[in-house]
Amino acid sequence: MRKPVGSSKDMIDAERIVFNLIHSKQNMGIWVADIKRETTLPESMIKKSIKNLQTRGEIKEVVNIKNKSRKHYMAASFEPADEVTGGNWYSEGKLDKEYIYELRQACLRYISRSSVASRNGISEFIIKGGCFPGATTAEVDQILENLVLDDEIIEEKSTGYGDYENFPVGRVCYRCKSKGEVGAMASIPCGVCPRINLCSPDDFISPKNCELYQKWLNF
Amino acid sequence: MGSQYGLKFAVHLVTNHFGKIVAKVCETLFRKGPLSLGEIIRCTELTPEQVKNSLLVLVQHNCVQAYVPADQFRDEEESTVTVEYLALFDNVIHRLRFPKFLEIAKRQLDDECEKVLDGLLRDGRLTLKQMVERAVQGKENPGAIEAVVRGSFHKLLKAHYVERCPAPEPVVSTLIKAEPAPRKRGSKMAKKFEAPETIEQRVMEAALPGEAIRFAVIEYTGGNADREANSDDTIMVNVGDNSGGIANEGSILWRANFEEFIRHLRHKLLIENERKRLDDGAATILSAILDATKNVEKKVKIEKSVPLSLDSIFTEVTKNEYGRTMTIDRVRASLVQLGCPQRNLDDSYSIDLKNIVEMARNEEVESIVLKRFGGDAYRIFRLLSKSNCFLETDKIAELAIVDKKEAPRLLYKLWKDNYLHMEKLVVTAAKQSRFMLWKVNKPVLWEYVLDEMYHAALNLSLRLAFEQEKDEDLLHVSRDKLTPTDKSGEVNSVQKRYLRLRDVLFLMGSSLMKLDDALMLFHDF
């Protein structure tokens, strides 16, 4: 039998049930709809409980990176997990592109100035430099891995010779990579064309009437 | 055999060089496989004479190889021998790169060798006598020219850039032998899987002259000047009645050895790629190893360089001016950089050439991804390419630092265009969860990209022809009217069109040559 809504004892019970459920989800938190499904409390009672708990500072609303439009709640004593926030690179549910860009540029500048730089050297420069308070070694490592993926730098092990003579053999080092030539296929219109599968000599889209070719040959 | 657009491009080349009728015969052989003369006539609906002439042209230019299937001899009652014709896809595509072969001959040997090679490429196959006749025609001082031609021919032969033509109609078994099944699962006796030999490989192997005579020259019993022109290293074959036939310079046919040119181009790519990736030292060492071992490479696409001891490598390296500045330790360090950190069991070193080719292929494909799909997609693609395993969507977004909402969209785009392989995983625990897993399947992707490249090469050629046709009238305008002569630099409309056409043809021609390097990278190297 459903409990009547509105009595203060009911509210206290509801708040306790809602709080216990939210608390049990620890740093993952819980979506409002899931609270409703798991507690079977009326929606209005859930809403009021959440409002009261928030006012008292016992729970907080967090942005869930996987679904920013959903209201997601967590006990105030927990820090949201990376799966909820998106990790270090997210701020209020958005990828902090500016921070990432600045950190990348700082790493690139250091490597470029040094010609060859070790992983430890770069981390020390960034963390102790003061421009990025709170930056961690793990974050710097991830930025370096991303710069390798972007082909901006090369990761190599020191041979102890030439540019690497200041680094012990086997030490992980990075150096800037000069921009290579654009590949043969990427240099021509067909290489960038999203319709190449529809193109045929005698078809509606053909090399003779291709707009990309027209632009390319329009000196 | 080529891919869908590979065949279309090959047919396009044959059409341009030999006309539509010959191209029709060639296309029929590409699409239906080896056929007899009667079958070709039926399929093409051309006259017997047209088909015969077309086959003669294609054989002359090494685009078709005739052979006799051995299985027809099982029936003892069969009295007639049926010859079948096989279209050679690789040799047709090589026609695109004749200018590169000529450049190699010119740089490595000299201008005269280039001229002799030019004759062979234009005419398909020639006897030495025909090469001489071709060169002396209408010239004064034929004796001196003849000596130069012979000398150049020997240089080309010594470098293996010229070879004896294959047997005209070798007998070839076309049955594929069944491999015996291994005795037990996981048995140590179980063989590594090797794809069965294609009919093209069998025919070419049967047709090719043995190594002893493939680059063997006939002794010329003419004047002293010619003896001096003959290299001591060239294998000499005695002319005599016991040869079973008179082998002389008027009957032995020679042709350009495409395999050696492709080997040269492959080595060039390997060396230049390592120079860009590492430094001049590493390039010098790799070049020395490849130079020292090129004559003992069993095939072009070897996966590892022929093993050499450190002493042999060092000896080769010091033949080069830059190499003489290197110490043995420096050479050893470069071998590590080249991906050969330790010796083989017999104390020799071997460079992983397949890895260098794969890196070059990766770079080419990544370049396409960057241009076509943008920076974030490029990073995701490289992550998956380097991981060489399945990764889940969120994990990809995390590792590549791409917005978690954006990552699925980019992955889907790459998958839709065949650049990624995707699988769905359903996990049933407290509740059912679906995961999308992504991977770069390199062998499949490279075949797909190669077909796209053939498509692009065909498009470039067609557009080039179209641009030339558009301004065909400029061919009839006298040259002095085409170039601006006015000191003010002003150009009239005809001159503008001419300058534009000149620039367009240069751009597209050079793009096609660059694209051809990529075709070789994915098909021949």
Side-chain angles (χ1 to χ4, degrees):
Chain A
M1 192 170 114
R2 281 181 74 158
K3 290 185 181 178
V5 174
S7 69
S8 56
K9 186 182 180 298
D10 290 336
M11 275 316 300
I12 291 166
D13 283 344
E15 281 175 29
R16 184 170 42 79
I17 290 167
V18 168
F19 177 77
N20 284 344
L21 177 60
I22 293 173
H23 193 273
S24 73
K25 300 298 177 183
Q26 299 185 1
N27 65 353
M28 288 300 293
I30 185 168
W31 178 31
V32 162
D34 287 336
I35 297 174
K36 190 180 169 190
R37 194 170 41 80
E38 291 192 38
T39 59
T40 67
L41 289 169
E43 192 173 337
S44 55
M45 207 173 254
I46 291 172
K47 275 188 180 168
K48 203 147 183 218
S49 302
I50 286 174
K51 191 178 169 190
N52 291 340
L53 289 167
Q54 264 188 299
T55 306
R56 291 201 298 271
E58 291 179 52
I59 65 171
K60 58 188 174 185
E61 187 178 343
V62 294
V63 177
N64 185 338
I65 194 66
K66 289 183 185 173
N67 212 316
K68 293 173 201 171
S69 58
R70 290 182 182 178
K71 288 198 179 291
H72 208 84
Y73 295 96
M74 187 174 295
S77 53
F78 292 105
E79 281 305 313
D82 284 354
E83 288 96 315
V84 175
T85 62
N88 296 336
W89 308 116
Y90 287 80
S91 173
E92 292 170 15
K94 285 185 188 168
L95 190 66
D96 196 344
K97 290 184 180 175
E98 204 180 307
Y99 176 74
I100 293 165
Y101 175 80
E102 292 301 329
L103 195 45
R104 283 170 58 107
Q105 291 304 111
C107 290
L108 276 172
R109 274 196 298 271
Y110 181 81
I111 298 169
S112 173
R113 267 202 320 264
S114 319
S115 295
V116 177
S118 69
R119 178 180 282 167
N120 295 344
I122 300 166
S123 278
E124 211 175 295
F125 169 75
I126 297 290
I127 293 166
K128 291 184 180 172
C131 296
F132 299 94
T136 63
T137 311
E139 283 180 5
V140 175
D141 283 351
Q142 199 176 356
I143 286 290
L144 290 174
E145 280 158 20
N146 261 245
L147 286 170
V148 170
L149 288 178
D150 278 333
D151 214 23
E152 299 264 15
I153 61 176
I154 304 174
E155 179 183 301
E156 281 175 340
K157 292 203 172 142
S158 167
T159 57
Y161 283 98
D163 289 338
Y164 298 96
E165 59 184 356
N166 295 328
F167 302 96
V169 174
R171 175 74 56 90
V172 172
C173 296
Y174 298 92
R175 55 187 174 91
C176 284
K177 192 174 176 194
S178 49
K179 287 289 172 199
E181 268 186 34
V182 178
M185 184 70 172
S187 309
I188 58 176
C190 300
V192 301
C193 179
R195 303 272 179 269
I196 188 168
N197 293 329
L198 302 173
C199 164
S200 176
D202 304 311
D203 226 321
F204 180 68
I205 302 173
S206 77
K208 289 182 188 174
N209 62 20
C210 173
E211 280 177 19
L212 290 178
Y213 260 104
Q214 204 54 44
K215 279 183 193 160
W216 188 48
L217 299 175
N218 197 13
F219 299 129
Chain B
M1 189 56 78
S3 56
Q4 182 203 1
Y5 270 98
L7 296 185
K8 286 186 185 181
F9 184 53
V11 170
H12 170 78
L13 288 173
V14 174
T15 309
N16 275 359
H17 293 178
F18 307 119
K20 287 184 180 172
I21 293 174
V22 175
K24 191 166 185 183
V25 169
C26 191
E27 184 176 9
T28 303
L29 289 173
F30 277 144
R31 299 220 179 274
K32 295 190 182 285
L35 296 172
S36 65
L37 177 63
E39 285 166 337
I40 299 171
I41 293 167
R42 271 195 298 282
C43 292
T44 57
E45 296 179 351
L46 294 168
T47 66
E49 198 179 338
Q50 282 175 322
V51 172
K52 276 183 201 165
N53 286 339
S54 298
L55 286 172
L56 283 170
V57 166
L58 290 167
V59 169
Q60 171 71 19
H61 288 275
N62 308 297
C63 298
V64 156
Q65 172 68 47
Y67 70 99
V68 175
D71 52 354
Q72 67 184 280
F73 295 119
R74 280 181 296 160
D75 185 357
E76 287 176 10
E77 290 175 9
E78 189 65 52
S79 55
T80 55
V81 171
T82 306
V83 176
E84 291 192 355
Y85 297 89
L86 170 73
L88 302 174
F89 173 78
D90 286 358
N91 283 6
V92 172
I93 300 294
H94 285 327
R95 300 188 66 78
L96 178 67
R97 42 194 77 123
F98 283 178
K100 292 181 183 173
F101 298 166
L102 289 168
E103 187 65 27
I104 291 169
K106 183 176 175 171
R107 283 209 182 161
Q108 209 172 323
L109 303 172
D110 52 49
D111 289 355
E112 297 305 325
C113 290
E114 188 200 0
K115 286 180 192 166
V116 170
L117 181 67
D118 186 52
L120 281 169
L121 293 174
R122 280 178 191 275
D123 291 3
R125 43 184 76 186
L126 294 166
T127 62
L128 182 51
K129 190 175 166 192
Q130 285 170 326
M131 286 182 228
V132 169
E133 282 169 1
R134 200 176 181 277
V136 303
Q137 205 173 35
K139 300 269 171 50
E140 294 173 5
N141 202 3
I145 294 173
E146 184 175 337
V148 167
V149 169
R150 288 180 186 283
S152 301
F153 170 73
H154 284 294
K155 282 185 196 172
L156 286 165
L157 200 57
K158 188 182 172 189
H160 290 193
Y161 289 137
V162 162
E163 64 175 356
R164 240 184 233 234
C165 283
E169 290 172 5
V171 177
V172 179
S173 167
T174 52
L175 295 171
I176 295 170
K177 287 180 200 169
E179 288 290 324
R183 278 178 246 140
K184 291 191 259 192
R185 186 197 288 263
S187 160
K188 286 178 187 172
M189 298 296 289
K191 286 185 190 174
K192 186 180 160 190
F193 173 76
E194 282 178 11
E197 230 179 3
T198 61
I199 184 70
E200 185 171 337
Q201 285 166 329
R202 283 179 178 225
V203 168
M204 293 320 296
E205 202 178 303
L208 216 54
E211 280 303 305
I213 62 163
R214 190 176 168 194
F215 304 105
V217 79
I218 302 302
E219 186 174 12
Y220 175 68
T221 53
N224 285 334
D226 302 294
R227 285 227 168 90
E228 283 165 13
N230 290 339
S231 164
D232 289 337
D233 293 337
T234 319
I235 301 165
M236 308 299 278
V237 172
N238 287 328
V239 177
D241 292 332
N242 61 357
S243 66
I246 297 174
N248 61 40
E249 62 188 48
S251 62
I252 295 178
L253 281 167
W254 304 92
R255 66 177 190 177
N257 178 13
F258 298 145
E259 186 185 329
E260 193 59 31
F261 286 109
I262 297 298
R263 177 178 287 113
H264 178 97
L265 289 166
R266 185 182 194 238
H267 287 183
K268 188 178 160 197
L269 172 115
L270 294 167
I271 293 161
E272 289 316 308
N273 269 37
E274 291 302 87
R275 189 189 304 282
K276 268 186 278 181
R277 185 175 77 90
L278 302 169
D279 52 36
D280 286 341
T284 302
I285 290 163
L286 181 57
S287 175
I289 292 172
L290 293 174
D291 267 344
T293 57
K294 68 177 178 182
N295 288 337
V296 295
E297 282 181 15
K298 289 191 176 142
K299 52 180 183 173
V300 173
K301 291 187 192 180
I302 51 167
E303 293 191 1
K304 286 183 180 284
S305 64
V306 177
L308 279 182
S309 67
L310 184 59
D311 282 341
S312 302
I313 295 172
F314 189 71
T315 306
E316 287 301 319
V317 165
T318 50
K319 286 180 184 173
N320 173 277
E321 194 183 324
Y322 183 86
R324 281 194 279 277
T325 65
M326 300 173 89
T327 61
I328 271 215
D329 280 342
R330 175 77 175 90
V331 170
R332 212 181 266 120
S334 283
L335 286 168
V336 170
Q337 282 186 310
L338 285 164
C340 186
Q342 60 208 12
R343 294 168 286 187
N344 299 327
L345 289 172
D346 59 355
D347 274 0
S348 63
Y349 289 83
S350 203
I351 309 294
D352 188 347
L353 304 178
K354 186 180 170 196
N355 186 48
I356 302 172
V357 169
E358 283 188 7
M359 283 196 291
R361 288 178 181 176
N362 287 342
E363 268 184 37
E364 182 66 40
V365 175
E366 286 162 11
S367 193
I368 299 171
V369 169
L370 177 62
K371 276 268 180 166
R372 209 184 272 187
F373 303 103
D376 284 347
Y378 172 74
R379 202 174 324 117
I380 287 174
F381 182 83
R382 271 174 60 87
L383 170 67
L384 286 167
S385 182
K386 282 173 179 289
S387 310
N388 199 27
C389 63
F390 279 105
L391 287 178
E392 189 268 325
T393 309
D394 281 350
K395 190 71 184 168
I396 292 168
E398 182 192 317
L399 291 172
I401 314 183
V402 171
D403 194 294
K404 290 195 184 222
K405 280 276 182 175
E406 188 64 6
R409 188 184 70 83
L410 292 171
L411 288 163
Y412 176 75
K413 255 174 112 173
L414 286 165
W415 169 77
K416 199 161 124 337
D417 277 11
N418 300 301
Y419 279 75
L420 291 183
H421 176 68
M422 183 266 288
E423 284 187 15
K424 288 182 190 170
L425 182 68
V426 177
V427 174
T428 310
K431 58 177 184 174
Q432 206 177 64
S433 304
R434 281 173 178 266
F435 296 98
M436 308 278 266
L437 303 177
W438 310 86
K439 187 184 176 183
V440 173
N441 185 334
K442 284 183 190 172
V444 169
L445 174 60
W446 287 341
E447 284 299 320
Y448 176 75
V449 166
L450 177 59
D451 193 55
E452 273 199 350
M453 287 178 175
Y454 282 126
H455 191 168
L458 177 61
N459 283 354
L460 261 173
S461 301
L462 290 172
R463 184 68 191 222
L464 206 148
F466 173 70
E467 292 290 332
Q468 278 177 310
E469 268 175 41
K470 246 183 6 179
D471 291 314
E472 216 174 358
D473 58 303
L474 291 175
L475 292 170
H476 307 293
V477 177
S478 63
R479 204 166 179 83
D480 55 329
K481 287 187 181 164
L482 290 175
T483 43
T485 51
D486 193 334
K487 281 182 187 172
S488 69
E490 283 180 15
V491 293
N492 61 35
S493 63
V494 170
Q495 287 164 349
K496 258 190 200 168
R497 279 174 60 214
Y498 167 73
L499 290 172
R500 183 199 166 268
L501 179 63
R502 185 194 63 182
D503 291 344
V504 159
L505 295 184
F506 177 76
L507 174 64
M508 291 211 283
S510 56
S511 297
L512 186 56
M513 285 296 104
K514 194 176 168 190
L515 184 61
D516 179 54
D517 287 342
L519 290 175
M520 285 192 283
L521 174 61
F522 281 81
H523 182 71
D524 299 284
F525 294 171

